[in-house]
């Protein structure tokens, strides 16, 4: 055994680690806000990382501490939503029809979002063909993955089996279409998405809600 004088490895407490994570998150959100303003003014395609760093009053090196690339500034919105939906799905009743759980979880998460910020994000993405394509891909990787994992678990199947995979893709596409429709026509975003997701129940599942 090591002697009494041996140094023990330093371990930060959970509260200290959480405080550090909160500071990093706040700093990243500040950079994200500065970037979004530039995207609105100049367009996503022409704004550079140097521009964002200057607007956020940080160095380019510091920018890359928070985001691997310019695209990731927009991806952050989808990743936060995917994480929030995963958390919300984990709290849904075990005996609830899977697609009903998805609809309610997504509605709750979207209702808690700042709709004005979502509208700004959609405007930036819609104005750039490149950003639209990238965000569609991110949505498939991030959001649809969360849904497929949950649906597979509830249906007793692997996430990449046909039924959970197809339901997840359908739900993800419906959410994107509903969000664009809301941006163009207005109204309540959470309700618009929830109403749109009933399409899976009524058209695809015949009102069964993917019941067990």
């Amino acid at each position: 055994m090591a002697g009494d004088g041996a140094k023990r490895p330093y371990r930060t407490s959970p509260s200290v680690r959480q405080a550090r994570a909160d500071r990093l998150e706040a700093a990243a959100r500040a950079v994200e806000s500065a970037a979004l303003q530039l995207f609105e003014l100049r367009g996503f395609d022409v704004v550079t990382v140097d521009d964002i760093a200057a607007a956020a009053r940080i160095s380019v090196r510091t920018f890359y501490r928070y985001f691997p690339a310019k695209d990731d500034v927009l991806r952050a919105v989808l990743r936060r939503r995917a994480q929030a939906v995963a958390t919300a799905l984990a709290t849904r009743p075990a005996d609830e029809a899977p697609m009903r759980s998805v609809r309610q979880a997504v509605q709750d998460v979207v209702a808690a979002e700042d709709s004005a910020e979502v509208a700004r994000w959609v405007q930036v993405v819609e104005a750039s063909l490149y950003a639209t394509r990238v965000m569609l891909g991110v949505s498939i990787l991030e959001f649809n993955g969360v849904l497929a994992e949950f649906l597979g678990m509830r249906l007793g199947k692997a996430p990449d089996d046909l039924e959970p995979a197809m339901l997840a893709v359908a739900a993800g596409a419906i959410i994107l279409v509903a969000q664009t429709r809301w941006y163009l026509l207005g109204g309540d975003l959470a309700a618009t998405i929830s109403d749109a997701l009933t399409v899976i129940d009524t058209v695809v599942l015949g009102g069964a809600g993917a019941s067990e």
Side-chain angles (χ1 to χ4, degrees), residues 6-171:
K7 292 184 178 180
R8 296 180 179 178
Y10 176 74
R11 296 179 181 176
T12 56
S13 67
S15 61
V16 171
R17 289 196 296 271
Q18 185 59 53
R20 183 180 300 164
D22 290 344
R23 287 196 299 271
L24 288 173
E25 174 66 16
R29 292 293 288 267
V31 175
E32 187 180 330
S33 177
L36 190 59
Q37 290 180 9
L38 287 179
F39 296 155
E40 288 178 299
L41 290 172
R42 305 181 193 173
F44 176 82
D45 296 335
V46 300
V47 172
T48 66
V49 169
D50 284 26
D51 294 333
I52 297 171
R57 298 183 178 181
I58 59 173
S59 67
V60 171
R61 182 176 181 179
T62 300
F63 172 89
Y64 286 116
R65 288 180 57 194
Y66 305 125
F67 301 100
K70 182 180 74 169
D71 298 358
D72 289 281
V73 177
L74 291 181
R75 288 174 180 168
V77 173
L78 291 177
R79 286 173 177 162
R80 281 196 298 271
R81 179 180 284 179
Q83 291 167 358
V85 168
T87 299
L89 286 171
T91 68
R92 300 306 304 170
D95 59 350
E96 186 174 53
M99 281 310 304
R100 189 167 294 114
S101 293
V102 169
R103 187 169 69 247
Q104 190 60 54
V106 172
Q107 182 177 2
D108 291 346
V109 167
V110 173
E113 294 175 342
D114 184 334
S115 59
E117 288 299 305
V118 174
R120 294 174 64 202
W121 182 90
V122 173
Q123 182 180 26
V124 167
V125 172
E126 290 282 321
S128 166
L129 180 59
Y130 171 79
T132 299
R133 288 173 175 171
V134 170
M135 292 309 109
L136 178 60
V138 172
S139 177
I140 293 171
L141 290 173
E142 299 277 347
F143 194 73
N144 293 4
V146 167
L147 298 183
E149 186 75 28
F150 170 79
L151 291 167
M153 178 185 67
R154 283 293 187 88
L155 297 172
K157 300 180 180 181
D160 58 354
D161 279 357
L162 183 62
E163 187 176 1
M166 291 300 292
L167 286 173
V169 169

Side-chain angles (χ1 to χ4, degrees), residues 143-200:
F143 194 73
N144 293 4
V146 167
L147 298 183
E149 186 75 28
F150 170 79
L151 291 167
M153 178 185 67
R154 283 293 187 88
L155 297 172
K157 300 180 180 181
D160 58 354
D161 279 357
L162 183 62
E163 187 176 1
M166 291 300 292
L167 286 173
V169 169
I174 286 172
I175 290 168
L176 289 177
V177 171
Q179 185 167 267
T180 300
R181 181 179 177 83
W182 161 80
Y183 172 71
L184 295 173
L185 302 179
D188 182 274
L189 176 57
T192 299
I193 290 177
S194 180
D195 290 345
L197 284 172
T198 62
V199 171
I200 296 180

